[in-house]
Structures are given as structure tokens and as C-alpha cells.
Amino acid sequence: MIGMAESIGNEFLPNENKVYKADLHIHSCLSPCADLTMVPSTVCTKDIDILAITDHNTAENVAAFVCLCKDKVVIPGIEIHTFEDVHILGYFSTLSDVMEVSKIVSENTNPLPYDPETFGYQLLLNESEDFVGMLDNYLGFPTNLSIDQTIDLIEKHNGLAVFAHADRKFGVIYQLGILPKNAHFVEVRKRETWQELKSTGHIVLTSSDAHIPDEIGSRKIFFQNDAFSGKIDTHSVISAVALGRFRTIWD
Amino acid sequence: MLKLSQIIEEVGLKSVYLHNDCEIEHGYVGDLLSIVMRSAKENSIWMTVQSHVNIVAVATLTGIRAIVLCEGMEFPEDTLQKAQEEGINLLVTDENAYRVSGKIYSLNVR
């Protein structure tokens, strides 16, 4: 699934004594429910080394963060809202993969009128951090893609699929009662779920799901320098996650 | 067609937010927003256990007038606030959606 060694954006050589902090679930001002200040100049000043931009059903703002967050590794991401009301995160090494997925997701939504004044503005950023437009298709609704189709879509585009906040609203355990058999990577909110899923051999992440600046890094994962083979870039971070080479806030 | 106030009284629902005493024509039960968006009719009362703020958006979109949160669950603050902004009636009950729906069905709301 993450076969290609391609990568984009910044790369760093691991520092021997450094522990790298990663928050792999952050919304930008494009998500209707996120604060308008979720822009690169705010997000990228936070005390984390690696971050993933994961807006609801779109990746249109990822490029601005990749371009403007100079001293961090920005993982191109998306949070897809499935037909079953389950949120699934996709992490990608390249912009082209995430944008292709974003396009397919958008083709699988039902365009419906919505009032941004009530349900939140969906603001597009350019690479100078200007607001350059609004998406008028509400991103907070489910797509027509099932859980299996979503995982398939992510993996076909060399991505890593992670069930978001599995034990909370719009999480797979909360919505459907149990974790599907094909689930390997799971983000959790509760310590008990973390314990349980670790004992069943799952790779469990703790990320913030930040919608406001203060939430960024409130949950995160930690990588030792030897988690990466060689340089630290989008591809090596995703590989390290896939191999479970990280600590959570509870390890 | 029945007044919402009549349904509330006959079924014994508890009001959390009453916007208006509208006429209810239909009922709907469901917890998956994708299905509700597709299937619910205008002027409906909707029985669910989903309390996320998006239910208000779904109600606004479909023309659902009242949401009944079942099984003793509570509406979160942001859902309540959004319902007040959008004029969606919010009700709660300790009973499950099957029992509540049965009672409303027997009042001839079909």
C-alpha cells in the first residue's frame, strides 16, 4: 500500500537525541467546523515536528501547508466521512495522491445547498495564505463511499488508512459497535480502548483532531530518531506509522 | 397531520427546545445521516440516537421539523445552539425509537 518511496515537501536528517512529536489529525480553515485561524502561520508555530492536515472530505488546503510550514514535515491527509457515518483518515506521501483521492471523494458526494453563516465557512487558501475562495458543497456530510470502498481508495493511491477517533462519535466502534476485521490502524480517544486494541495487535494512534489552534499537539505520537530509515520525510513518517514505530501519549 | 404539541403530550416526550408548534405530517427513524438525508420527508418528526450537531443540518436540509433523541441520551450544547439558530424542535425520551415510533404511528402520523 505505501510502496512508493516518493515524497514531497521538507525533509530532515534525524537528530540523534531528538524525540519527534507528531500530531497527525489537524483540521484547517477549510473544514466547516474548524476555526478560521487554522492557517499555516498559526498551525505551524506549534511545538510539533510532524503534522498531518486532514480536512473533512477534501485535501484542497494541504498544498498551502506543505508550502508554508517550512520547518515541519507536513503529511498530506484527508478525513473521509463514509456512508456509515464513520470517519477514516488517509495519509499520503505525495500531494498528487491525496489530490486524486480528494477529487474522487468529491465526485462521490451529493451537492446540497448549505448556509455557511450557520454551519461554518469552508475557506480555501493559496500558497501565500490568502483566503481565495469557499467550497460551497458542505463537507460535514457523509459521502456515498462505504468503509471498504474508502479504505480501498486510500490504499490504491499508496496511502495509509486509519480509523479516526474510533471510540467517539463518527468513530467506527462508536457507530458500528465493533472494529471491522480488516482494521489495522486505529486512532483512539480513550485509554481503555488503547489498551484493548494494543492487546489485539492493532497499531493505535493518539492524535488531537484539532479544530482550534490550542488543541494542536494536545494529543500526539512520538518517534525516536531511529524510527526512520534515513531522512525524515512524508514517506518515512508514514512507513514508521505503518510499522508501529512510535509511542503514544500513554506508552 | 398533527400538531407537535399534541404528539409531545400523547407520547410523553420531554421538550428541550421548542421553536414552534408546527404540523407534523410524517415520522422517520434512523441514525445514519446518509440514509436520513436520502429518505426523510418534509414536515417529519425524526427518532434517533445520533446527537451530533450535524443532525440539525440534516433536519434543515430535509425539512424535518422535530428531532426526538431516544434512550435517555442528551443533546450536546452545540447541537442545542444550532437547533435554536435554525428553528428545529428538540425533544428527548427515555424510551427507545421503536416504542416512541409505535406510539406516534398510532396517532395516525404515517
Side-chain angles (χ1 to χ4, degrees):
Chain A
M1 64 193 137
I2 40 167
M4 301 205 321
E6 230 182 310
S7 153
I8 48 123
N10 301 317
E11 54 180 60
F12 304 96
L13 285 172
N15 179 328
E16 211 173 306
N17 300 313
K18 190 170 158 72
V19 173
Y20 291 85
K21 293 178 236 174
D23 184 346
L24 299 182
H25 191 163
I26 297 176
H27 289 270
S28 85
C29 55
L30 185 50
S31 292
C33 40
D35 204 86
L36 301 186
T37 58
M38 294 297 275
V39 296
S41 59
T42 309
V43 172
C44 301
T45 55
K46 298 292 176 178
D47 180 28
I48 43 169
D49 307 292
I50 301 159
L51 59 100
I53 296 299
T54 50
D55 282 313
H56 294 292
N57 294 338
T58 183
E60 298 262 0
N61 266 0
V62 172
F65 283 83
V66 170
C67 180
L68 292 168
C69 291
K70 294 288 183 211
D71 59 346
K72 302 195 192 298
V73 173
V74 178
I75 310 292
I78 187 169
E79 183 173 27
I80 301 173
H81 189 152
T82 74
F83 180 74
E84 304 90 340
D85 277 330
V86 170
H87 287 182
I88 298 179
L89 296 159
Y91 299 132
F92 302 85
S93 296
T94 67
L95 266 178
S96 55
D97 280 332
V98 82
M99 289 317 291
E100 182 61 24
V101 168
S102 180
K103 184 171 157 270
I104 295 168
V105 169
S106 139
E107 286 163 3
N108 282 280
T109 55
N110 312 295
L112 295 162
Y114 99 105
D115 177 12
E117 195 57 42
T118 309
F119 295 106
Y121 285 92
Q122 305 179 148
L123 298 176
L124 287 163
L125 293 166
N126 68 8
E127 290 171 13
S128 318
E129 203 178 285
D130 305 315
F131 292 134
V132 289
M134 289 204 306
L135 287 190
D136 47 17
N137 189 17
Y138 185 54
L139 300 168
F141 282 145
T143 64
N144 300 326
L145 298 165
S146 69
I147 290 174
D148 285 346
Q149 286 172 321
T150 300
I151 293 176
D152 202 44
L153 174 68
I154 292 168
E155 292 183 347
K156 276 208 172 108
H157 290 81
N158 313 304
L160 184 78
V162 175
F163 282 93
H165 42 71
D167 46 2
R168 207 199 63 195
K169 250 170 226 171
F170 294 139
V172 69
I173 299 173
Y174 186 97
Q175 297 295 137
L176 304 181
I178 48 164
L179 205 58
K181 283 210 162 53
N182 58 358
H184 301 297
F185 307 99
V186 190
E187 179 200 295
V188 301
R189 305 297 289 183
K190 296 181 195 149
R191 200 189 162 101
E192 306 86 76
T193 324
W194 166 76
Q195 247 158 356
E196 192 189 318
L197 293 182
K198 267 185 81 109
S199 72
T200 46
H202 293 86
I203 291 178
V204 189
L205 293 90
T206 47
S207 309
S208 75
D209 192 9
H211 285 71
I212 58 171
D214 281 354
E215 288 170 348
I216 297 167
S218 58
R219 283 156 186 270
K220 49 186 159 305
I221 56 175
F222 305 93
F223 297 98
Q224 295 293 335
N225 60 305
D226 60 2
F228 311 103
S229 40
K231 61 195 179 192
I232 306 176
D233 57 18
T234 55
H235 184 262
S236 70
V237 169
I238 295 171
S239 300
V241 172
L243 294 168
R245 289 185 183 161
F246 60 86
R247 285 184 292 120
T248 65
I249 51 174
W250 295 308
D251 280 294
Chain B
M1 195 132 58
L2 209 56
K3 284 267 188 211
L4 180 61
S5 58
Q6 273 176 276
I7 296 177
I8 292 171
E9 202 188 311
E10 302 265 356
V11 179
L13 303 171
K14 214 168 96 192
S15 310
V16 175
Y17 170 64
L18 269 192
H19 173 72
N20 55 1
D21 191 14
C22 51
E23 299 277 354
I24 299 294
E25 279 186 77
H26 307 286
Y28 192 76
V29 186
D31 307 312
L32 291 183
L33 303 185
S34 49
I35 312 283
V36 180
M37 281 161 64
R38 200 173 62 192
S39 308
K41 293 190 190 128
E42 251 187 292
N43 302 322
S44 288
I45 185 165
W46 172 22
M47 275 57 72
T48 185
V49 292
Q50 176 64 269
S51 63
H52 188 272
V53 62
N54 282 20
I55 60 175
V56 178
V58 169
T60 307
L61 196 100
T62 51
I64 287 171
R65 309 298 293 272
I67 304 171
V68 184
L69 189 62
C70 302
E71 314 247 4
M73 295 175 70
E74 287 173 18
F75 288 106
E77 189 53 39
D78 54 346
T79 303
L80 175 59
Q81 202 183 327
K82 206 61 87 186
Q84 288 167 346
E85 285 166 26
E86 287 295 293
I88 303 293
N89 300 291
L90 298 183
L91 310 156
V92 289
T93 174
D94 287 334
E95 291 194 294
N96 66 33
Y98 172 75
R99 295 194 64 89
V100 176
S101 304
K103 288 180 185 175
I104 296 177
Y105 195 86
S106 71
L107 295 173
N108 264 329
V109 176
R110 305 280 159 98

